[in-house]
């Protein structure tokens, strides 16, 4: 049976169907595009939010570390200042102690009775160390008389101890600026024993300083060895 041409109503109906189909397809496509756009927007938004959060966290961490470093530096500076101040006070205390000792040896040199005994004692020690038949004793110019008296007594005591005789020559060659005491020189002039009060005080300071520090201020936990 041959097909007949569509009349106007039928044509209009077919066109309406085509328009409806196209419209429906367009709506579906629009929905798909919107859904995809929403998804991409959400992903991009989440990415941007994460990046911003990471940037904020990094900035906060940097500031936190900077604050910690500044706090440590400030604490270290304060600790060092306190330690230096304490060390300075301790050193001043030690210097006061040695100044007092200096005053004591000055007083010794002014007390003739004690001073003669001191000179005689160090001379005997020196003679026993040198074991020389001739010894020159150097004293301050103002101590020559006292030193000669001490030398006579020391030579006698030395003979009693060692059985040896010693010829002692006293010279006033030491400066009057020192605290006192004597230097003994062997007859060959190869050996010199410094028994001046200044030298004995210096040796005492050097040898006793660690022990004095320990007695006055206690043991330093950071120091493993003592000399």
């Amino acid at each position: 049976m041959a097909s007949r041409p569509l009349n106007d109503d039928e044509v209009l109906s077919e066109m309406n169907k085509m328009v409806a189909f196209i419209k429906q397809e367009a709506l579906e496509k629009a929905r798909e595009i919107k859904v995809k756009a929403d998804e991409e927007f959400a992903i991009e938004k989440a990415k941007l939010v994460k990046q911003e959060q990471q940037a904020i966290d990094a900035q906060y961490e940097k500031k936190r570390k900077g604050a910690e470093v500044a706090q440590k530096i400030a604490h270290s500076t304060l600790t060092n200042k306190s330690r230096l101040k304490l060390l300075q006070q301790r050193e001043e205390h030690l210097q006061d102690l040695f100044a007092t000792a200096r005053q004591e040896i000055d007083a010794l040199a002014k007390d003739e009775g004690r001073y003669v005994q001191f000179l005689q004692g160090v001379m005997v020690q020196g003679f026993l160390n040198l074991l020389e038949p001739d010894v020159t004793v150097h004293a301050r110019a103002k101590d020559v008389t006292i030193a000669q008296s001490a030398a006579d007594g020391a030579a006698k005591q030395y003979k009693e101890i060692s059985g040896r005789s010693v010829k002692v020559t006293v010279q006033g060659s030491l400066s009057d600026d020192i605290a006192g005491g004597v230097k003994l020189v062997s007859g060959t002039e190869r050996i010199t024993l410094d028994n001046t009060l200044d030298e004995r005080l210096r040796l005492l300071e050097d040898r006793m300083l660690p022990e004095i520090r320990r007695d006055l201020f206690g043991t330093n936990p950071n120091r493993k060895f003592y000399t």
Side-chain angles (χ1 to χ4, degrees), residues 24-226:
Q24 183 63 32
E25 286 292 320
L27 289 174
E28 289 294 334
K29 191 65 176 176
R31 277 197 294 270
E32 290 179 5
I33 293 173
K34 184 176 183 304
V35 169
K36 187 175 182 181
D38 289 344
E39 290 177 352
E40 291 179 352
F41 173 76
I43 292 172
E44 190 64 24
K45 179 181 177 181
K47 186 186 296 183
L48 290 174
V49 170
K50 185 177 181 180
Q51 289 176 351
E52 287 297 322
Q53 186 63 45
Q54 289 175 342
I56 292 172
D57 291 344
Q59 187 176 10
Y60 171 77
E61 184 66 16
K62 183 178 180 180
K63 289 183 177 179
R64 185 184 67 80
K65 288 183 178 180
E68 287 182 353
V69 170
Q71 185 178 15
K72 288 179 180 178
I73 292 174
H75 182 267
S76 177
T77 301
L78 182 60
T79 300
N80 288 336
K81 285 184 178 179
S82 299
R83 184 179 292 114
L84 288 174
K85 184 176 181 180
L86 178 60
L87 290 175
Q88 182 180 1
Q89 290 175 343
R90 288 182 174 182
E91 188 62 28
E92 289 175 354
H93 186 70
L94 288 173
Q95 292 305 319
D96 289 343
L97 183 64
F98 292 138
T100 301
R102 175 73 187 204
Q103 292 174 358
E104 288 293 326
I105 65 173
D106 288 341
L108 170 63
K110 293 176 182 178
D111 186 335
E112 185 172 334
R114 291 172 57 206
Y115 191 39
V116 169
Q117 288 181 352
F118 167 77
L119 293 177
Q120 183 172 328
V122 295
M123 286 183 193
V124 171
Q125 290 178 5
F127 297 160
L128 290 171
N129 284 327
L130 294 173
L131 295 176
E132 295 274 348
D134 296 294
V135 175
T136 300
V137 174
H138 296 271
R140 298 184 301 182
K142 61 183 179 182
D143 289 341
V144 169
T145 302
I146 296 176
Q148 185 63 62
S149 175
D152 293 341
K156 181 179 180 181
Q157 188 176 354
Y158 169 69
K159 186 171 184 178
E160 292 174 354
I161 296 172
S162 66
R164 300 186 180 197
S165 297
V166 59
K167 179 182 177 182
V168 184
T169 302
V170 178
Q171 296 181 1
S173 54
L174 299 185
S175 171
D176 285 337
D177 292 334
I178 67 173
V182 291
K183 287 184 180 181
L184 281 69
V185 180
S186 65
T188 59
E189 297 186 351
R190 291 183 178 181
I191 304 174
T192 299
L193 300 179
D194 191 339
N195 277 314
T196 59
L197 289 172
D198 305 73
E199 179 63 12
R200 292 177 78 90
L201 179 60
R202 186 191 68 79
L203 291 174
L204 179 65
E205 290 177 3
D206 290 344
R207 293 174 184 174
M208 298 297 294
L209 191 58
E211 184 177 344
I212 293 172
R213 280 200 176 103
R214 191 162 57 248
D215 291 342
L216 289 177
F217 311 120
T219 302
N220 185 347
N222 297 321
R223 181 173 300 183
K224 296 181 180 179
F225 302 101
Y226 290 89

